[in-house]
Amino acid sequence: MSFQEEIRRRRTFAIISHPDAGKTTLTEKLLLFGGAIHVAGAVKSNKIRKTATSDWMEIEKQRGISVATSVMGFDYQDYKINILDTPGHQDFAEDTYRTLTAVDSVIIVIDNAKGVEEQTRKLMNVCRMRKTPVMIFINKMDREGKDPFDLLDELESELDIHVRPLSWPINQGFSFKGVYNIYEENLQLYTPNKQSISESVEISDINSGELDKFIGEPDAHQLRQDLELIHGIYPAFDREKYLSGELAPVFFGSALNNFGVKELLDCFVEIAPSPRPVQAQERVVNPYEEAFSGFIFKIHANMDPNHRSCIAFVKICSGKFERNVNYKHIRQGKMMRFSSPTAFMAQKKEIVDEAYAGDIVGLHDNGNFKIGDTLTGGEDLHFKGLPSFSPEMFNYLENADPMKTKQLEKGIRQLMDEGVAQLFTSEFNRRKIVGTVGQLQFEVIQYRLLHEYNAQCCWEPISLYKACWIESDDPVQFEAFKKRKAQFMVKDKQGRDVYLAESPYILQMAQRDFEHIKFHFSSEF
Ligand code: G4P
């Protein structure tokens, strides 16, 4: 196979959802179709068992085990599919945001009864920023849920994206009969079955009596009406709009019952993008360029304190990556060679000799890499990562063992480079403030500092609402603001000015009083 074809056949994507919508189940069914696993229930994925939600050690153990499932690669038809797993737990949302920098498209899973939920909304914001093509799978059609037309309206308004159904359900819950595949123009009849694929019937003409035979006259009548309405309301599916992130095709099904999943996958491989050009600071990098380039989007620490090695995950942006070839680590300005790069096939890790643009390889690392680092064949390129988003919880970091100050500083620095949390330094009293998206990370940091760096910390809570990166064209007002808010002014890791707002109301007042100051809720603007 030619170099070009290798790249063209790659589909690298993530499945995202609010917890419990069915992400793990859908992932598993996709692997089943790809022949990568043979029985349902084989994938534990990054799914964190509900009983363990308050016990982060257990969670980390499960996450540790799931390194192998961080990326699941398999061949399907002529395509090479890479599914990037994202943590099921909301407290690890930052991890998910970063994973989204490494994918070329996304499938969003929505629970038919719950519609758009909080986490889906947040993740969609990240997709929108990056113009990532999005496909939507409405799951759990075997249960009673919302009216499908209402759901489509909800998707459009809540996720701020145009939608176009490419399949349509015939009832739901107890009376669910199947879906009509608008894209392929055939009918899938529903038979609950967790292991095998459901029956598909070719319907040459939706108006023929054949349809009535399969689903009964009243439902056939309703389906014809619904389809007419869909064609009336929604313009024909436009792939270009999908690729530019403006339009999301929507599918209905039941992941648990293996229903509607194959249709989703077949359509996905056909329309989803192959590796896309990536913007570096210097220029746009085309995946088909021969020279290798890539960036680190995730670092997975080893939970065994005796082996502090990590796995750094590289997304290949262009060319071919080869084992034992020298590549340049741009930030450190040094050449590095990797003797055991790992690829991820289904649930196995294996050493690979080569990988192509679109693929993810895991590199063993002893502290050389930070999130966002670029590796190339020699050219000085810097890929832009994802901006940091405002954390939602803040604590002062206290050193609990003054004899171990150096260890604490080193540990905190490395954990922040790994992207565990964000560190701010107060301008007012030089104290360090750690911000996270969930309470669990504070426990993770405390535990890891102790076990990996022999340092002890404790937390002193601060009640804050948001971190705002601020800028202004008016230096006088900018200085006046910083003076007024001196107690709440901090610097981030890059030395940028950040204002920690105490409450929504106080932020609103500040925005009103200082109209020449721009308040941003992410570090890139
Ligand atoms: P997540 O990764 O998005 O968090 O969700 P996951 O796949 O674990 O699914 C959450 C729950 O929803 C699971 O039930 C799963 O079996 C169920 N589920 C997934 N797809 C469907 C579907 O199409 N129809 C129905 N009726 N249920 C579905 P659970 O009881 O929480 O877990 P388990 O004991 O079944 O694993």
Side-chain angles (χ1 to χ4, degrees), residues 307-312 332 336 338 363-369 410 414:
H307 300 94
R308 197 179 299 145
S309 77
C310 304
I311 295 183
Q332 295 194 338
M336 294 177 90
F338 303 95
L363 306 177
H364 290 280
D365 173 41
N366 293 313
N368 278 309
F369 290 117
K410 180 174 176 208
Q414 290 194 351

Side-chain angles (χ1 to χ4, degrees), residues 17-26 47 50 139-143 253-257:
S17 73
H18 191 85
D20 270 351
K23 181 175 71 71
T24 310
T25 314
L26 180 64
K47 177 77 178 168
K50 289 184 189 75
N139 191 27
K140 307 197 185 179
M141 291 308 295
D142 59 316
R143 287 199 188 156
S254 163
L256 186 65
N257 293 295

